[in-house]
Amino acid sequence: MSTHPTERSVIVPEFRVAGDEQLSMQLVEDLNVACDAAEEAAGREPLVLRLGGTDPERTESAEVDVHVVNKWERALRRVERIGAVTVALARGTCTGAALEALLCCDHRIAAPGTTFALPVLGATPWPGMALHRLTTQLGIARARQLSLLVPQLDADRAFELGLVDELADDTDAALAALLSRVGEVSPAELALRRRLLLDAAGTGFDEALGAHLAACDRTLRHEQGVTPAEPFPQPQW
């Protein structure tokens, strides 16, 4: 984990994954450390993931056992539920662990020339949770194309499909502009809405209604001055 100053003159938690970096316990620990820093900031600063690099070797994940994979998936789930804005900055080749991390972020900025591909193990597509996230985020038709028929996407196509949200030559400037736009948004409220979105795909209307009504009541009470803004409850990991 590292920190990086933005144009807002603040230090934000960062996590980095190179395009040629294999999944490891060190990578899991680094991601958890970055999440710890974001949580200690109580959501006041974003969690930034810098992803991509050189072309990876096709043996990615070959020397990792399933217990490390489980810990990695739990760390990624932590990113999805953290009480802070999460932003991915992608450049170069974004595959393997880098692509898996990208799929967990609120906003994804890619430099032109970035390429995206699902991770592989030798010559075999890796059957990780990236497949699940692609399906819930892009729909089964596009996920099927990406996972079975398209070995690699360029940045323009990834933007067209919604895999990334923004293309920018200067990703740091785009990050600063994004943070200035969301600077007034309560991290707790943002995290609450993200959780409702994540749960929507697997929740029926009647089951979801209670959670959404509770969220509406919470927002109304806050706006009416009945209750102060509540910090987003951090889960125990």
Side-chain angles (χ1 to χ4, degrees):
M1 195 276 288
S2 61
T3 58
H4 184 77
T6 70
E7 292 182 6
R8 300 189 308 161
S9 299
V10 299
I11 302 298
V12 301
E14 284 192 356
F15 171 71
R16 297 174 181 265
V17 186
D20 58 354
E21 189 165 357
Q22 296 186 15
L23 180 59
S24 65
M25 271 307 303
Q26 185 61 57
L27 207 58
V28 175
E29 292 170 3
D30 288 346
L31 181 52
N32 279 317
V33 168
C35 289
D36 288 342
E39 289 174 356
E40 288 171 4
R44 292 186 299 273
E45 305 304 338
L47 174 60
V48 176
L49 281 65
R50 295 183 180 271
L51 310 171
T54 58
D55 289 338
E57 298 179 4
R58 295 184 68 82
T59 54
E60 183 152 1
S61 301
E63 298 180 358
V64 175
D65 64 33
V66 73
H67 301 293
V68 176
V69 176
N70 182 43
K71 291 180 182 296
W72 172 244
E73 293 291 359
R74 290 181 180 275
L76 292 177
R77 188 59 168 169
R78 185 178 181 185
V79 173
E80 288 183 317
R81 292 182 174 268
I82 200 167
V85 176
T86 57
V87 185
L89 306 181
R91 183 179 295 275
T93 299
C94 185
T95 186
L99 181 70
E100 291 179 319
L102 176 109
L103 291 171
C104 298
C105 291
D106 295 322
H107 193 76
R108 305 151 190 183
I109 305 171
T114 302
T115 58
F116 302 86
L118 286 173
V120 294
L121 179 60
T124 305
W126 180 244
M129 286 295 289
L131 295 174
H132 181 273
R133 292 187 174 96
L134 279 173
T135 302
T136 57
Q137 294 174 23
L138 304 183
I140 191 169
R142 287 178 172 175
R144 183 179 64 247
Q145 290 181 344
L146 295 179
S147 60
L148 301 179
L149 304 176
V150 181
Q152 183 171 281
L153 290 178
D154 61 23
D156 290 334
R157 183 57 174 158
F159 176 72
E160 180 183 339
L161 291 174
L163 185 64
V164 297
D165 303 298
E166 184 176 353
L167 300 179
D169 291 302
D170 188 338
T171 54
D172 283 305
L175 170 63
L178 171 70
L179 298 184
S180 67
R181 295 197 301 270
V182 302
E184 301 302 319
V185 179
S186 163
E189 296 301 320
L190 183 144
L192 177 61
R193 283 153 182 73
R194 184 204 297 133
R195 179 167 292 185
L196 292 173
L197 287 170
L198 288 172
D199 292 343
T203 307
F205 178 86
D206 291 334
E207 183 180 355
L209 180 59
H212 283 264
L213 287 176
C216 291
D217 181 64
R218 179 180 182 277
T219 300
L220 289 169
R221 291 171 63 83
H222 170 56
E223 291 300 320
Q224 294 167 358
V226 177
T227 58
E230 302 173 9
F232 186 75
Q234 300 294 346
Q236 298 300 314
W237 303 94

